[in-house]
């Protein structure tokens, strides 16, 4: 199985020498690494080449690496029913550089790209309807970024006086405290066996 995927990866690398920077076979899966500007060319090749025939798009998503200059890996998954194989294509981009949309090649990528924009903030150029799909239009931020706060920026609630949904800034109901997890109410007055050793150092 891995030998067949390795041959397929090598043939794609030869066919797209200027666009594919490398490939990897791991755990029975083939991953291509491509240049972001050439993703439409790569997707077209994978769909149309007789040795590939990856005619179904399964997913478009991203992975956030905030420590990198190009913090996002945009990840595409395609399926070839003819070969009974899947392939993953990874490209890198940053917060401001738009990735070309593959909608002209795979119409089913429409909502996947919108979801990636909504949850990660990855921009897609040439997309006919680049707007949020899972969060509200007035939502602040992109919730799957690793630097997004766990409590969010705003909370949504229904105001009975105004008779409408309102957004408020998040307020934590309790100040942060140091808890004794053995007694979540007030803490212990007794010394646990072994604690005296820790204080003696």
């Amino acid at each position: 199985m891995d030998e067949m995927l390795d041959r397929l990866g090598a043939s794609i690398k030869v066919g797209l020498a200027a666009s594919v920077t490398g490939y990897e076979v791991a755990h029975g899966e083939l991953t291509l690494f491509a240049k972001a500007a050439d993703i439409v060319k790569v997707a077209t090749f994978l769909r149309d080449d007789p040795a590939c025939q990856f005619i179904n798009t399964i997913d478009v998503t991203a992975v956030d690496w905030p420590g990198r200059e190009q913090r996002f890996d945009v990840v595409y998954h395609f399926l070839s029913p003819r070969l009974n194989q899947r392939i993953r294509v990874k490209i890198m981009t940053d917060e401001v550089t738009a990735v070309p949309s593959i909608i002209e090649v795979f119409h089913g990528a429409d909502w996947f790209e919108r979801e990636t924009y909504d949850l990660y903030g990855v921009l897609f150029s040439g997309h006919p309807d680049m707007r949020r799909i899972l969060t509200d239009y007035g939502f602040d931020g992109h919730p799957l970024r690793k630097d997004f706060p766990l409590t969010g920026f705003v909370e949504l609630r229904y105001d009975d006086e105004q008779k409408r949904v309102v957004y408020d800034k998040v307020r934590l109901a309790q100040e942060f405290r140091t808890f004794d997890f053995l007694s979540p109410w007030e803490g212990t007055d007794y010394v646990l066996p072994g604690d005296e050793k820790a204080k003696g150092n």
Side-chain angles (χ1 to χ4, degrees):
M1 178 68 136
D2 285 356
E3 293 177 10
M4 186 188 85
L5 292 175
D6 191 58
R7 286 195 303 272
L8 179 61
S11 69
I12 294 171
K13 176 77 173 75
V14 169
L16 292 168
S19 303
V20 173
T21 58
Y23 72 93
E24 171 185 75
V25 177
H27 308 291
E29 297 180 352
L30 174 61
T31 303
L32 295 179
F33 303 97
K35 296 178 181 175
D38 295 339
I39 188 60
V40 175
K41 179 180 176 183
V42 172
T44 304
F45 180 89
L46 292 176
R47 183 194 66 187
D48 296 342
D49 187 83
C52 297
Q53 300 181 40
F54 290 96
I55 60 172
N56 293 2
T57 179
I58 298 171
D59 193 18
V60 179
T61 188
V63 180
D64 185 15
W65 304 95
R68 284 190 338 202
E69 185 176 341
Q70 290 186 303
R71 70 181 288 178
F72 299 114
D73 282 341
V74 182
V75 185
Y76 300 82
H77 293 99
F78 301 108
L79 170 70
S80 172
R82 177 97 175 171
L83 299 177
N84 192 25
Q85 286 297 329
R86 297 170 190 262
I87 193 168
R88 178 185 300 115
V89 180
K90 288 186 180 182
I91 61 174
M92 292 193 302
T93 190
D94 55 33
E95 298 176 55
V96 296
T97 307
V99 174
S101 174
I102 63 167
I103 286 183
E104 293 301 318
V105 184
F106 292 101
H107 299 296
D110 185 347
W111 284 15
F112 293 140
E113 290 180 352
R114 283 180 60 189
E115 179 184 20
T116 305
Y117 160 70
D118 190 3
L119 299 180
Y120 291 94
V122 174
L123 302 170
F124 292 90
S125 62
H127 193 288
D129 189 21
M130 187 52 52
R131 59 191 166 102
R132 291 186 180 272
I133 190 170
L134 295 175
T135 60
D136 193 43
Y137 298 129
F139 189 85
D140 187 16
H142 303 282
L144 288 187
R145 286 187 178 184
K146 291 184 180 170
D147 54 5
F148 188 79
L150 294 178
T151 56
F153 296 108
V154 294
E155 59 187 359
L156 175 73
R157 67 178 179 82
Y158 181 78
D159 190 307
D160 201 36
E161 292 176 6
Q162 298 180 39
K163 302 292 185 202
R164 67 182 186 90
V165 174
V166 295
Y167 290 93
D168 290 328
K169 290 190 176 181
V170 170
R171 291 186 307 271
L172 297 176
Q174 180 178 2
E175 294 293 327
F176 288 109
R177 291 176 42 193
T178 303
F179 285 101
D180 179 348
F181 292 104
L182 294 177
S183 175
W185 300 105
E186 295 297 331
T188 60
D189 293 331
Y190 54 86
V191 177
L192 294 173
D195 282 357
E196 71 281 354
K197 296 177 188 173
K199 293 179 182 175
N201 289 335

